[in-house]
Amino acid sequence: MMLSLSRSGAPPTAVADREDAITRLYQEQWAPMVRLALLMLGDRPSAEDATQEAFTAVYRRWDKVKDHTRIEAYLRSAVLNTSRSVLRRRKLTLLHRPPSDPPVWSAESQALLGEERRSVLAALATLPTRRREVLVMRFYLHLSDVDIAQTLGISEVSVRSTASRALRSLGTKLQEEDR
């Protein structure tokens, strides 16, 4: 009896296992990954697009992932990389556009957001990318330093020092705003 192969050439069980794993990953991680992208990008449609691209990349590269126990860190990295790409593409258009208020997700959410929270998000948006990423993952996604280090491909010591510098910068920006 000959084993039939999928279009990719993998045995059906491998394809089914991959699809089951990706489906579970999608169900468990869609919302946290959209939140991560939303905090990096500032608008929900772009965040959802970036997250979908990241899931697609994970699906395409599933067989190349060496350690599937770290797939969530791999997915977070993919979301961050996709978000960075979006931000790079936006940079040129932002250079030619007059400054505006920080992005607001909707009129309703703007009314619900307190002034303090808006100030923190605005100050967070001005931080360098790596510092913003570390703070978002630590305080909004509640990830450990180990998980952040795995996601960003840096040491735990770098995570802690980056977070410390980011918090100091954020505090300075918020104090300046209060004056």
Side-chain angles (χ1 to χ4, degrees):
M1 178 170 124
M2 183 165 181
L3 181 65
S4 66
L5 299 177
S6 69
R7 279 186 267 157
S8 67
T13 56
V15 172
D17 290 346
R18 174 177 65 178
E19 291 188 7
D20 288 345
I22 291 288
T23 299
R24 279 192 308 278
L25 183 67
Y26 188 87
Q27 291 167 343
E28 294 170 5
Q29 295 298 317
W30 172 257
M33 293 304 120
V34 170
R35 271 194 308 274
L36 172 60
L38 180 61
L39 288 163
M40 297 305 298
L41 298 172
D43 70 285
R44 187 160 188 90
S46 295
E48 289 176 351
D49 288 346
T51 302
Q52 190 62 42
E53 283 182 41
F55 271 100
T56 302
V58 169
Y59 181 82
R60 273 189 267 119
R61 294 181 183 99
W62 185 261
D63 295 332
K64 292 179 177 58
V65 175
K66 294 176 184 162
D67 184 2
H68 286 101
T69 62
R70 294 188 50 213
I71 198 70
E72 288 178 21
Y74 184 84
L75 178 62
R76 276 192 301 273
S77 294
V79 169
L80 287 173
N81 288 337
T82 304
S83 296
R84 288 179 193 132
S85 295
V86 169
L87 291 172
R88 275 193 299 274
R89 286 189 298 262
R90 286 182 181 171
K91 201 171 198 173
L92 281 176
T93 52
L94 292 177
L95 290 174
H96 301 290
R97 190 184 307 167
S100 62
D101 290 333
V104 176
W105 293 280
S106 72
E108 183 178 285
S109 66
Q110 181 180 14
L112 296 174
L113 283 177
E115 185 62 36
E116 186 175 298
R117 185 168 177 205
R118 274 196 299 270
S119 297
V120 170
L121 288 174
L124 185 65
T126 65
L127 292 177
T129 304
R130 178 59 52 94
R131 290 180 183 181
R132 185 172 61 242
E133 291 169 353
V134 168
L135 289 184
V136 164
M137 285 189 274
R138 179 180 274 180
F139 295 107
Y140 289 93
L141 295 180
H142 306 288
L143 296 178
S144 68
D145 289 348
V146 172
D147 291 335
I148 296 169
Q150 286 178 344
T151 299
L152 296 176
I154 59 177
S155 70
E156 290 178 55
V157 172
S158 294
V159 169
R160 287 190 290 275
S161 65
T162 301
S164 176
R165 279 188 238 108
L167 287 170
R168 202 171 25 251
S169 296
L170 198 59
T172 302
K173 288 176 191 297
L174 292 171
Q175 284 177 351
E176 289 172 0
E177 192 176 288
D178 285 344
R179 291 182 194 157

